[in-house]
């Protein structure tokens, strides 16, 4: 057998029939059929008007930080097209970020580069029980065709596409206990809370700790015998905090305290304390032996009301700190996360726009996302002389998932991203809901705003049964089928991480830089073409006027 001639050149130049010279591509490893299909559909490429890409980051008990992208291929914006949309997932990074379980995540607001077309980046912060806050820089736009790395080999069903602009910034050691909450009120400030009863304010320019808000230690009273706290000590730590949209005040709830505290961010001092009503707590299932502490907090977009979440319910307060309505899931179950729906733009109907600001979503232990409206609530017939907590109950607009949809896994965290499909009519706005369950599944849902608002208008005048003692009397017994809400939204896709998810965050990615530059060049070219056409039209008009003047004979050129 003769020896094969060795080719030393990396690229071979050959002749083609039409006389042109063609350069052969370098050799590449063959990929499977699934990888080829994913490369064509799920590989990160520039955006178009019919494609939406999300960057999703999840934390887990396994100390792993997992980043993935979801590309939504849209069809014509008609109700029947929702079921035809396709979602392609791709892994961007996967590594051990901490020495113990990850508790919270946060991303900074997006900021454009110079001139609005430069590199866009966001800062990702992760908090863990190892007292560390790790910082990362993520690219807010997918890489272009020239910037993306080739698809790496993988044993999974999804491709692995890395972004070269993602990098690690470092770690912060501003706390001496488990980090419980992270928040970027602005791109220049990072707020973090921990179980050492402090809320640290950090400047992102040089990552210097500007100040630390110290909350008082709670008094140990009424503790059960199973408490794991050492002798002479009690449970302590900041459970959650929420910054007002004006960024001047902040609310916080702590462990072992049946109250919430108001802080003045202008001075960094306490502004007030509001104790939770005892009878109101009993209606939410917070009895004598329960903690009675607030677990979650959130402000609505307008900053006119806020919600405090407890173990098995929530209470909505107005700006005067008076209870407005309460939220009790039926069937009774634990509440894990509460968020207000953020809807961009304003509707032509002012009442509909106000109702959209009062919509909130609740994730439960039994795998449901329940939507409520605090604007339309049901007034219960309770004698004011016998009870001081005669407050209304929020209207149930609908729910997603749950045992009825064969999705019983508890939802630890979720994310709501507004999606504008029609810039002229905001009534056609969509909401993309990303949920993370303890069974390791990340689900992507789509909900129409009009679907929730129409349900709110229809059910605002209906009466519902009194559920004041629902939690106390249930004791695990099944509730009536009439109490369950109708299913809303549409499931677009599911991704299996094989991790026990604890927290989740993400954002909608912007257009790639290459596409932005191309669109800018096309806009300049179109602008120049239109200017030339306008000049040519003006010259033709002048010639016509001169001809008419010469025919009249009054004035000659």
């Amino acid at each position: 057998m003769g020896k094969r001639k060795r080719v030393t050149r990396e690229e071979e130049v050959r002749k083609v029939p039409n006389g042109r010279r063609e350069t052969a591509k370098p050799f590449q490893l063959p990929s499977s059929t699934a990888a080829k299909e994913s490369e064509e559909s799920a590989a990160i490429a520039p955006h178009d008007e019919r494609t939406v890409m999300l960057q999703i980051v999840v934390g887990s008990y396994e100390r792993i930080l997992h980043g993935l992208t979801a590309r939504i291929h849209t069809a014509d914006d008609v109700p029947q097209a929702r079921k035809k949309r396709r979602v392609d997932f791709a892994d961007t990074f996967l590594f051990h970020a901490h020495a113990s379980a990850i508790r919270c995540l946060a991303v900074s607001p997006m900021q454009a580069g110079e001139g609005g077309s430069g590199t866009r980046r966001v800062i990702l912060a992760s908090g863990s029980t190892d007292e560390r806050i790790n910082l990362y820089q993520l690219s807010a736009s997918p890489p272009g065709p020239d910037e993306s790395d080739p698809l790496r080999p993988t044993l999974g069903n999804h491709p692995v596409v890395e972004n070269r602009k993602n990098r690690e910034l470092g770690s912060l050691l501003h706390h001496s206990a488990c980090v419980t909450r992270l928040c970027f009120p602005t791109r220049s400030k990072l707020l973090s809370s921990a179980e050492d009863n402090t809320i640290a304010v950090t400047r992102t320019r040089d990552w210097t700790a500007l100040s630390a808000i110290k909350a008082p230690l709670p008094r140990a009273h009424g503790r059960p015998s199973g408490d794991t706290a050492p002798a002479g000590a009690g449970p302590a730590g900041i459970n959650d905090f929420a910054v007002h949209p004006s960024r001047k005040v902040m609310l916080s709830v702590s462990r072992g305290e049946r109250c919430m505290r108001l802080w003045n961010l202008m001075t960094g001092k306490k502004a007030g304390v509001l104790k939770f009503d005892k009878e109101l707590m009993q209606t939410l299932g917070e009895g004598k032996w329960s903690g009675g502490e607030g677990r979650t907090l959130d402000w609505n977009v307008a900053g006119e009301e806020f919600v405090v979440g407890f173990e098995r319910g929530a209470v909505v307060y107005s700006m005067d700190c008076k209870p407005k309505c309460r939220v009790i899931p039926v069937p009774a179950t634990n509440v894990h996360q509460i968020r207000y729906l953020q809807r961009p733009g304003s509707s032509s109907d002012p009442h509909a726009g106000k109702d959209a600001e009062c919509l909130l979503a609740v994730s439960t232990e039994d795998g449901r996302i329940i939507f409520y409206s605090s604007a339309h609530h049901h007034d219960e017939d309770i004698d004011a002389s016998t009870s001081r907590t005669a407050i209304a109950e929020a209207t149930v607009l609908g729910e997603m998932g749950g045992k009825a949809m064969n999705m019983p896994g508890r939802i630890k965290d979720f994310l709501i991203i507004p999606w504008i499909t029609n810039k002229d009519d905001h009534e056609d706005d969509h909401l993309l809901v990303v949920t993370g369950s303890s069974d390791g599944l990340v689900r992507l849902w789509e909900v129409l705003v009009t679907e929730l608002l129409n349900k709110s208008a229809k059910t605002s005048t209906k009466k519902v049964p009194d559920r004041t003692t629902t939690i106390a009397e249930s004791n695990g017994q099944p509730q009536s089928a009439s109490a369950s809400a109708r299913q809303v939204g549409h499931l677009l896709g599911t991704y299996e991480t094989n991790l026990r998810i604890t927290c989740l965050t993400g954002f909608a990615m912007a257009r790639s830089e290459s596409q932005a530059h191309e669109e800018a060049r096309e806009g300049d070219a179109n602008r120049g073409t239109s200017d030339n056409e306008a000049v040519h039209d003006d010259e033709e008009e002048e010639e016509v006027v001169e001809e008419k003047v010469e025919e009249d004979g009054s004035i000659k050129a």
Side-chain angles (χ1 to χ4, degrees):
M1 183 176 180
K3 293 184 179 181
R4 184 177 180 180
K5 184 178 180 181
R6 183 177 181 181
V7 181
T8 56
R9 298 179 60 184
E10 295 182 3
E11 296 182 353
E12 180 185 1
V13 181
R14 63 180 183 217
K15 284 280 187 177
V16 292
N18 57 5
R20 294 180 303 171
R21 299 174 64 86
E22 182 183 31
T23 302
K25 296 182 180 179
F27 175 76
Q28 295 181 355
L29 291 175
S31 57
S32 61
T33 305
K36 290 181 180 179
E37 295 178 355
S38 303
E39 182 179 358
E40 295 177 359
S41 59
I44 298 179
H47 278 298
D48 53 30
E49 296 180 355
R50 306 168 67 87
T51 304
V52 179
M53 178 170 287
L54 305 180
Q55 174 68 65
I56 305 171
V57 184
V58 297
S60 62
Y61 285 109
E62 290 82 2
R63 306 165 295 166
I64 292 178
L65 196 64
H66 188 182
L68 57 121
T69 58
R71 177 185 289 274
I72 305 175
H73 300 270
T74 63
D76 295 333
D77 191 18
V78 294
Q80 294 79 7
R82 297 174 60 187
K83 298 182 180 180
K84 299 180 181 179
R85 289 173 182 162
R86 187 180 77 255
V87 180
D88 297 320
F89 294 95
D91 297 323
T92 54
F93 54 85
L94 176 69
F95 61 94
H96 285 274
H98 291 270
S100 56
I102 301 176
R103 290 284 302 272
C104 52
L105 295 170
V107 292
S108 65
M110 188 181 303
Q111 182 181 15
E114 298 180 1
S117 61
T119 302
R120 298 188 179 186
R121 297 182 177 90
V122 298
I123 301 174
L124 170 66
S126 63
S128 172
T129 55
D130 60 359
E131 307 175 4
R132 288 177 174 269
I133 301 175
N134 290 348
L135 303 172
Y136 309 91
Q137 182 175 276
L138 302 181
S139 175
S141 59
D146 301 334
E147 303 170 349
S148 60
D149 293 333
L151 294 177
R152 300 180 182 275
T154 176
L155 297 178
N157 298 327
H158 305 284
V160 178
V161 182
E162 294 185 354
N163 196 324
R164 301 176 183 175
K165 298 179 182 178
N166 297 343
R167 61 189 182 92
E168 184 177 0
L169 299 179
S171 300
L172 300 179
L173 299 175
H174 294 166
H175 296 282
S176 59
C178 170
V179 181
T180 58
R181 178 79 161 87
L182 295 170
C183 175
F184 283 94
T186 62
R187 189 174 173 83
S188 61
K189 297 294 185 298
L190 169 64
L191 272 65
S192 59
S193 64
E195 291 184 355
D196 56 1
N197 271 45
T198 60
I199 301 176
V201 181
T202 306
R203 183 172 55 196
T204 60
R205 184 177 60 186
D206 52 3
W207 302 110
T208 302
L210 300 180
S211 62
I213 301 175
K214 182 70 175 179
L217 294 175
R219 296 180 180 179
H221 62 278
R223 292 168 52 197
S225 59
D227 198 338
T228 57
I238 305 294
N239 283 336
D240 196 5
F241 65 88
V243 181
H244 190 266
S246 64
R247 306 186 187 95
K248 295 182 179 180
V249 295
M250 177 182 65
L251 291 172
S252 69
V253 288
S254 304
R255 296 183 60 189
E257 288 187 337
R258 299 195 173 195
C259 64
M260 59 181 174
R261 301 182 182 274
L262 179 66
W263 303 91
N264 187 348
L265 293 181
M266 307 299 292
T267 60
K269 297 182 179 180
K270 182 182 67 177
V273 179
L274 176 62
K275 294 184 178 181
F276 301 133
D277 187 78
K278 186 176 181 180
E279 296 181 4
L280 179 60
M281 293 297 99
Q282 291 178 355
T283 62
L284 298 175
E286 299 289 343
K288 179 180 179 181
W289 300 110
S290 62
E293 61 192 30
R295 299 177 182 270
T296 58
L297 282 170
D298 195 18
W299 288 90
N300 70 335
V301 181
E304 298 177 352
E305 66 180 36
F306 60 92
V307 60
V308 183
F310 299 91
E311 184 178 5
R312 298 174 74 85
V315 179
V316 179
Y317 292 86
S318 56
M319 280 298 294
D320 55 0
C321 294
K322 293 183 180 180
K324 181 179 179 181
C325 61
R326 54 183 176 153
V327 174
I328 302 178
V330 175
T333 182
N334 290 353
V335 174
H336 288 283
Q337 189 61 263
I338 302 177
R339 298 186 189 277
Y340 275 96
L341 274 65
Q342 297 184 1
R343 178 191 174 205
S346 60
S347 172
S348 58
D349 185 3
H351 300 286
K354 185 176 181 181
D355 294 346
E357 296 176 356
C358 300
L359 301 180
L360 53 93
V362 179
S363 66
T364 62
E365 179 81 14
D366 54 4
R368 292 180 294 165
I369 295 288
I370 310 176
F371 296 95
Y372 293 89
S373 173
S374 60
H376 301 284
H377 42 261
H378 306 287
D379 297 326
E380 300 180 354
D381 298 332
I382 301 178
D383 188 2
S385 61
T386 59
S387 176
R388 295 185 293 107
T389 59
I391 65 172
E393 187 170 348
T395 303
V396 181
L397 306 180
E399 64 181 29
M400 298 188 310
K403 296 181 180 179
M405 301 292 293
N406 196 20
M407 301 175 185
R410 63 175 180 178
I411 299 178
K412 292 289 292 184
D413 201 355
F414 65 95
L415 175 69
I416 301 176
I417 300 177
W419 179 19
I420 300 178
T421 57
N422 189 350
K423 298 181 180 180
D424 299 330
D425 187 6
H426 290 282
E427 287 298 328
D428 292 335
D429 292 350
H430 299 227
L431 296 175
L432 297 177
V433 183
V434 185
T435 62
S437 305
S438 296
D439 54 6
L441 296 179
V442 176
R443 293 186 176 94
L444 180 58
W445 302 78
E446 179 187 0
V447 183
L448 288 174
V449 176
T450 53
E451 186 178 4
L452 297 177
L453 294 179
N454 294 338
K455 179 65 178 177
S456 175
K458 293 178 181 179
T459 60
S460 60
T461 58
K462 294 182 180 180
K463 289 289 290 184
V464 297
D466 183 10
R467 290 181 280 187
T468 304
T469 58
T470 300
I471 298 177
E473 295 178 356
S474 61
N475 293 327
Q477 299 178 1
Q479 302 291 330
S480 60
S482 60
S484 61
R486 68 185 182 98
Q487 291 287 331
V488 297
H490 175 64
L491 180 63
L492 298 179
T494 304
Y495 182 91
E496 186 174 358
T497 62
N498 296 322
L499 302 172
R500 294 177 297 167
I501 297 176
T502 58
C503 50
L504 180 145
T505 188
F507 56 90
M509 302 190 75
R511 296 173 302 172
S512 62
E513 299 178 24
S514 58
Q515 185 184 13
H517 290 309
E518 289 178 2
E519 292 182 356
R521 290 195 215 99
E522 291 179 359
D524 295 340
N526 295 336
R527 194 180 304 109
T529 303
S530 60
D531 293 342
N532 295 335
E533 291 179 354
V535 172
H536 184 66
D537 294 341
D538 294 341
E539 292 177 354
E540 291 182 352
E541 291 180 358
E542 291 178 358
E543 293 177 357
V544 172
V545 171
E546 290 178 358
E547 291 179 357
K548 291 184 178 180
V549 169
E550 290 180 357
E551 291 178 357
D552 295 341
S554 55
I555 300 177
K556 293 185 180 180

